[in-house]
Amino acid sequence: MTPNPITISSSTTLPEAYRLMVEHQTCCLLVMDQGTLAGEVTLEDLRRKMPVALGLYGPRPGEQYVDNTPVCHVMHKNLKSIQADSSLIEAARLLLDSHMSTIPVMDGGKLVGTITERDILKALVVQVEA
Amino acid sequence: MKETLVRDWMTLDPITVSSSCTLPDAYWMMINNNVRMRANIMLMKLPVSRVMTENPKTIEVNAALLKAARLMLEHKISTLPVMEGSKLVGIITESDIFRALVKQLES
């Protein structure tokens, strides 16, 4: 897993979330509200919902609202998470079943990291080649 | 996994664009959305050749899936064009290989 994932609050705006993704070279940010995991937002969510703010299109009258839209309007809620001591295959099955690219890793109720398809692929390739 | 081939898990007939296709057209093709918006004039004229990756890594259709996985991890890429000789016949993604591996481990 990747420890200490970047988190934002649900009131973070879409352009700010995008800026953080670029800065930290990640495609997914976890949303925390008052210490509780509230959801996650992916680059794909932003691409689909804010092409104006991504600079692909020039602004049109009435579209400035995108700049102020908080991520709570586009984030995925009711996230599945996995405990840090779960097996890799359990995490893999959860990723496939939930159709998510990143799953939060918890230690009890505390967020301690994230796990992605790439993390598991890397581990499995090393295992197969050993 | 060593016996599983790229051809068993790849996506056939990928959507392609020419290098002169504009960024907005490529963008809308990607998200498969028919809604058109007024494009920024500068971006509207930019061809994808200005931002594309030239000479991308590719994989042969009969290569082992493990070879494709190694290539992706080594170069930190998530999609490989699948070639049969010099002809593009499909694409294979990190997710395709991930699904194949999980299926194999669970069987």
Side-chain angles (χ1 to χ4, degrees):
Chain A
M1 71 175 189
T2 303
N4 307 317
I6 311 294
T7 62
I8 54 176
S9 81
S10 61
S11 61
T12 305
T13 62
L14 300 188
E16 175 62 7
Y18 177 67
R19 192 190 66 72
L20 283 169
M21 284 183 192
V22 172
E23 188 181 321
H24 296 281
Q25 297 184 326
T26 181
C27 295
C28 177
L29 295 171
L30 295 176
V31 183
M32 299 282 287
D33 277 336
Q34 288 149 359
T36 305
L37 188 62
E40 78 175 26
V41 63
T42 66
L43 185 58
E44 193 57 27
D45 297 327
L46 299 186
R47 275 200 194 118
R48 286 174 182 276
K49 287 159 185 165
M50 50 169 291
V52 174
L54 291 192
L56 278 165
Y57 293 89
R60 291 197 303 195
E63 279 174 350
Q64 286 81 355
Y65 75 93
V66 174
D67 286 348
N68 300 318
T69 302
V71 294
C72 62
H73 289 304
V74 303
M75 71 184 189
H76 300 271
K77 295 171 190 169
N78 305 317
L79 279 191
K80 301 276 184 197
S81 63
I82 194 150
Q83 286 296 311
D85 56 1
S86 304
S87 71
L88 216 53
I89 195 71
E90 276 179 81
R93 178 41 58 196
L94 189 59
L95 274 166
L96 286 176
D97 291 344
S98 64
H99 303 288
M100 301 301 290
S101 59
T102 303
I103 286 187
V105 180
M106 313 294 283
D107 189 359
K110 189 184 168 210
L111 175 70
V112 290
T114 56
I115 193 147
T116 64
E117 283 185 0
R118 179 164 295 189
D119 294 330
I120 297 177
L121 191 60
K122 213 181 287 180
L124 294 180
V125 168
V126 169
Q127 209 166 312
V128 168
E129 287 183 326
Chain B
M1 183 178 176
K2 277 173 183 162
E3 294 76 35
T4 311
L5 302 181
V6 166
R7 72 156 66 243
D8 301 325
W9 286 87
M10 69 181 190
T11 301
L12 291 167
D13 304 321
I15 295 167
T16 61
V17 296
S18 80
S19 61
S20 60
C21 176
T22 62
L23 294 186
D25 282 342
Y27 174 76
W28 285 113
M29 201 170 279
M30 280 181 204
I31 66 169
N32 193 21
N33 191 328
N34 291 324
V35 178
R36 302 295 301 224
M37 296 172 72
R38 190 179 68 177
N40 173 293
I41 298 300
M42 288 304 288
L43 282 173
M44 198 164 72
K45 289 180 177 172
L46 266 187
V48 291
S49 60
R50 295 286 292 275
V51 299
M52 70 185 187
T53 301
E54 290 181 63
N55 304 316
K57 298 283 173 197
T58 62
I59 188 93
E60 266 293 310
V61 70
N62 287 318
L65 211 55
L66 192 59
K67 187 180 175 186
R70 270 199 307 263
L71 199 59
M72 284 180 189
L73 292 173
E74 191 183 333
H75 296 280
K76 295 182 179 171
I77 45 183
S78 57
T79 304
L80 288 172
V82 180
M83 312 298 285
E84 192 159 25
S86 58
K87 189 181 168 209
L88 174 71
V89 291
I91 54 167
I92 187 130
T93 67
E94 206 168 57
S95 292
D96 294 331
I97 301 177
F98 179 69
R99 276 188 292 114
L101 263 175
V102 174
K103 192 179 173 189
Q104 196 156 328
L105 283 172
E106 287 181 335
S107 62

